[in-house]
Structure formats: C-alpha cells, structure tokens
Amino acid sequence: MPATVTEKQVLGIWHDSLQGRLDLKTVDNEPVRVIYPGRPNDDRGPDFKDAIITTSRGQTKGDIEIHVKTSHWWTHQHHRDPAYNRVILHVVYQHDTAKTIALENGFTIPTLALRSYIGNNNSTSPIPCRGIGYRGDAKVISDRLDEAGETRFLMRAASYKKIIITLGLGQALYQGITTALGYSKNKEAMAELSRCMPLARLEAIASEETSDNEYLAQCQAHLMGAAGLLPSQRAGCCPAYNDMETWETKLESIWSTVSLVEAMSPHDWHFFKVRPSNYPVRRIAAMSHLLLRYRQKGLLAGLGDRFKEAADANETNSLEEALRVSPESYWGCYLDFGLPSLGAAPALLGKERVADIIVNVLLPFFYVRGLPEHGEGVLDIYRGYHASAENTLVKHMRQQLGITQYLVDTARRQQGLIHIYKTLCLEGKCDVCSLAKMTD
C-alpha cells in the first residue's frame, strides 16, 4: 500500500476484500463480520447503501461511510447531517482520534480501521457470485434471471390483488401509476398524493359541459394543490411574468375554492439530484393529461380497453402510446412553475418511464384483473417485453455478476436482477443463492 492512501483505495478495499473475514475488529476491539458490503451510492449521503454486518449485537443492515481518517467524519460535518443516520459502520484506513463516531440523531456507531489488515493473506472473495458472468454458463445464468423475474412478477401481481380488494380497481390502478411517476426519490410522496386526492374525486370534478381545457386545469389544480407544489405554497418559487402567467393564476384560483383537502408539505418532495424532466410537478402534470385522455370512459376502463387490444394482438406499441404524454401548453415552455425551458421541453411522460409503468403496474394489475381469460397473454407480453434504461439496482447487480447488457435484454431479466438483490443480497443469503453456487 502506498504511503499516501486515497479514499478511492479504501472504497475498493471495502468493496472487494473484506466479505467473510473472521479476523476483523473495530477500534474498540469488537468483532465485526461483513456479510454484504452493499452497493455504491450514486446520490447524496453515505458511500454504500444496504450493507449487512454482524457484531456482538447481532446482524445489522444499513449504510457504510468511508474515509481515509476517522477525524474526517467531523471534518465533513456528517455528525450534523440526518442523511447519515442509517450508517452502521464507519470504515477508515487510519484511526487518528479516540472520539466516538456520533450520528445526527444522537446514536453512536463503531469504526473499522483497515490499516492493520492490508497486506496480510486473509482476504477472501467479497461475494461468491461476483464475476460469474466471466466463468459461468450464460444460458444457465439467463435461465435463472428469467425464473427470478417471473417470481417477482407473480409476487407483484399478488400484492395488487390485495390492494384491489382494499381500494377497488380504479383507485388501485391510479395509485400504482401515480406512485410509479415518482421514480425512486418521490415514490412515497406520489403514493401519498394519490391518497390525498383519490381518483373518484378527480373524475367527478367536472360535468359533461366542462371543456377539455377546463377539466385539465381542474385536475392540475387539485393535484398540484394537494401536493403543496403550487407557487403560493412554495417558498422561493416565483411564478412567470408573461403571457403564460395566466395558467398559474388559473390553477391558484381553482385551488382556492377546494375544500376538505389537507395539502401536503413542499418538504415532502425531493428535487435534489432530480433532473428537471423528472421534477414532480411535471409528473403530476402528466397524470392530469392521462385523466383528460380517458375522461369519457374513466382511467380504468380507458386503459383497460387499450390493454385488451395489446394483449389480443400480443404487441405493446399501442399500449406505450396509450401512456405517453408530450409537453403541451404551459409545460411545453416551463420545467417548473416560473422555470422556463431553454430548449425544447422534455416529454411529460416519455418512453422510459412508460416502460417502467407497463412492467411494474399495468402488466401485474391486468394479470390479476384478467385471470383466467387473459392471464397467459399478459405473461407472454411480460416475457418478451424489451429491457428499459438501467436503474441503479440493475446496473449494480449486472456489474456484481459480471454480465453484459446484451444478456439482460428483457424487462423480465432486469426484474430478475432486482428480485435477487432484494430477496438474497439484502438478506445476506449467499448460502442459498443459486448464482453463488455456480462457483462451487
């Protein structure tokens, strides 16, 4: 090891060299064992997410923060940042202070100093399945991903069955789509919005004489207002001052007449490291356009008809078109209230998010609703549905296994990677993982 160690090198040691070792001890001489090192965090906060370790207090799951020196915890002000409250172990190269690591919430965590462990011969392979793509049979790997993807689909369908029993068909579908529009950072907030402003209320706010433009404004006002994201509800949000201002004024005016709805807090929403095209206001606007599109029959019946056509023809192009929403009117010029788009505004609901909604919401939902008539047809669509853009978990698992994007060429295989991660990796179950056993 060089005299000057970088944080990147310490990150590599944690990620590649410590899993399963029995000789590791914290600076307080407490035994610690790495079950799963976690996945690199590409967002704000700790360096690794979802790690699993065991200590004398048992097995613990959480985040890992890496530094060259122990004192960097305070230098970087992590003790004042709630984003680090899930950290379960502080991993450093050099322990340069006796001060105990404290989280913002007042809890303390152990520190593992690696300096004394580097260079000995006790290193083990961090994860049994790592790199099996370079050694294993591609056909066997792909078959196991297909099996895991099918299992995940059926589990999701079973969860929708319970949701439908509780909420009813229409609200269950609406809540599923709305939640999926939130991506990873705003899913919980979107789910809460669907409860605060249910489908039945949105579909009943206008009469047959109400114009489409008026109905769109009503839907946007109700959704934006309930979300707490109208300009008047957000500190520092400045409405535009031009001929488009009338749309903002219109939404504010409509919301001022809405009663019996407690608005969410703007602080419930995340904008940090969220691309403008994915801002929650744009996704909420997308939902209002879907409500307008299926206004005559309702969201459930309208999408149900389009889905039946796709299932009968075993094709998905028409289904994708049924969900895509182009940037229109105000949202064709603005990314957020008062934030003009410098170029062509992105779609309110584009092909990648549409694909995610089809795989995670529409297919399992209509599989449950359509059984037994269309159940097998829905599965056929799922089995052949194309892979979409990789999310963080899919990319992490593909790199962990050492397999190419070419092998993960369907949504089912992407879902299989996610299923393996959530049911095996996150549970530290390498001993029962069929992929790990391929190296035996």
Side-chain angles (χ1 to χ4, degrees):
M1 204 73 180
T4 303
V5 176
T6 66
E7 188 169 301
K8 184 177 181 180
Q9 289 172 311
V10 184
L11 286 165
I13 295 167
W14 169 260
H15 189 250
D16 296 325
S17 308
L18 301 177
Q19 192 263 352
R21 287 183 58 154
L22 301 176
D23 61 330
L24 300 178
K25 292 185 178 181
T26 69
V27 297
D28 294 321
N29 205 36
E30 179 184 13
V32 59
R33 186 178 181 188
V34 182
I35 305 300
Y36 186 67
R39 58 183 174 87
N41 181 19
D42 59 0
D43 201 356
R44 176 176 174 271
D47 294 298
F48 287 87
K49 307 288 287 184
D50 301 331
I52 306 174
I53 64 171
T54 58
T55 66
S56 59
R57 288 170 283 186
Q59 184 169 289
T60 308
K61 302 176 185 179
D63 302 337
I64 305 295
E65 177 63 8
I66 308 289
H67 288 122
V68 175
K69 296 181 179 180
T70 307
S71 58
H72 290 174
W73 179 269
W74 293 278
T75 304
H76 297 172
Q77 299 291 302
H78 296 331
H79 62 296
R80 296 179 177 175
D81 191 342
Y84 290 80
N85 281 343
R86 289 190 73 250
V87 173
I88 56 174
L89 183 67
H90 187 214
V91 179
V92 302
Y93 173 69
Q94 179 182 350
H95 184 53
D96 63 339
T97 177
K99 194 175 180 181
T100 302
I101 298 298
L103 305 179
E104 182 272 342
N105 59 17
F107 288 93
T108 59
I109 58 169
T111 294
L112 173 65
L114 301 180
R115 187 170 188 171
S116 60
Y117 299 104
I118 294 172
N120 61 36
N121 296 319
N122 292 324
S123 296
T124 61
S125 175
I127 303 171
C129 67
R130 177 162 293 167
I132 62 166
Y134 306 114
R135 307 183 301 275
D137 186 313
K139 176 65 166 58
V140 174
I141 295 172
S142 60
D143 285 348
R144 291 181 181 175
L145 294 185
D146 285 340
E147 291 170 6
E150 198 114 335
T151 300
R152 179 170 168 80
F153 177 85
L154 294 175
M155 288 175 62
R156 188 177 289 275
S159 69
Y160 264 109
K161 187 173 184 179
K162 295 178 181 178
I163 295 171
I164 289 170
I165 293 172
T166 303
L167 302 178
L169 285 166
Q171 179 65 18
L173 178 61
Y174 162 72
Q175 183 169 301
I177 295 173
T178 305
T179 302
L181 288 173
Y183 283 72
S184 58
K185 290 194 173 182
N186 285 301
K187 279 189 174 182
E188 291 183 6
M190 279 292 200
E192 179 61 23
L193 175 61
S194 69
R195 293 187 285 267
C196 293
M197 188 54 63
L199 178 66
R201 177 159 186 165
L202 290 167
E203 291 186 335
I205 58 178
S207 65
E208 293 183 2
E209 290 74 30
T210 305
S211 68
D212 283 351
N213 190 64
E214 180 63 27
Y215 181 66
L216 181 66
Q218 289 278 351
C219 288
Q220 280 191 31
H222 279 70
L223 286 166
M224 297 286 188
L229 292 176
L230 287 171
S232 63
Q233 297 168 310
R234 297 159 62 190
C237 181
C238 301
Y241 293 100
N242 53 31
D243 58 346
M244 302 301 293
E245 182 189 357
T246 55
W247 186 250
E248 297 163 345
T249 304
K250 186 177 186 66
L251 298 187
E252 295 276 14
S253 177
I254 294 172
W255 176 247
S256 68
T257 66
V258 175
S259 60
L260 303 178
V261 177
E262 183 176 350
M264 298 170 61
S265 168
H267 300 296
D268 292 333
W269 302 91
H270 297 279
F271 287 82
F272 182 78
K273 281 197 172 182
V274 174
R275 290 180 297 175
S277 58
N278 297 335
Y279 278 174
V281 289
R282 297 189 65 77
R283 298 310 182 187
I284 292 172
M287 174 51 73
S288 70
H289 277 276
L290 290 178
L291 292 169
L292 171 63
R293 182 177 299 172
Y294 300 106
R295 174 185 176 185
Q296 297 304 318
K297 290 186 175 182
L299 186 69
L300 174 65
L303 278 176
D305 287 348
R306 298 294 291 270
F307 191 87
K308 186 177 183 302
E309 293 171 6
D312 289 342
N314 194 19
E315 62 84 28
T316 57
N317 289 336
S318 62
L319 188 58
E320 291 170 352
E321 287 299 321
L323 288 171
R324 288 178 186 163
V325 180
S326 301
E328 299 178 20
S329 56
Y330 183 87
W331 299 107
C333 302
Y334 287 86
L335 301 174
D336 193 355
F337 289 114
L339 179 63
S341 174
L342 299 181
L348 291 174
L349 189 49
K351 62 179 183 179
E352 296 299 341
R353 184 50 32 181
V354 162
D356 183 73
I357 292 172
I358 289 173
V359 170
N360 290 290
V361 181
L362 295 195
L363 288 173
F365 176 86
F366 284 109
Y367 176 80
V368 171
R369 188 191 180 196
L371 283 176
E373 182 181 358
H374 293 293
E376 197 60 34
V378 173
L379 275 174
D380 287 341
I381 293 176
Y382 175 67
R383 289 164 180 159
Y385 200 78
H386 61 82
S388 56
E390 287 187 331
N391 64 24
T392 300
L393 291 186
V394 170
K395 183 178 181 180
H396 167 71
M397 286 300 296
R398 190 175 58 75
Q399 292 177 342
Q400 178 173 299
L401 298 176
I403 57 179
T404 65
Q405 286 182 292
Y406 179 78
L407 185 68
V408 190
D409 60 349
T410 64
R412 176 168 61 162
R413 291 182 182 174
Q414 289 182 322
Q415 293 291 305
L417 287 174
I418 295 172
H419 182 72
I420 291 168
Y421 177 79
K422 291 191 172 183
T423 61
L424 296 172
C425 299
L426 275 188
E427 300 299 322
K429 294 182 177 179
C430 294
D431 57 329
V432 298
C433 177
S434 60
L435 292 174
K437 292 179 180 179
M438 289 179 65
T439 61
D440 292 345

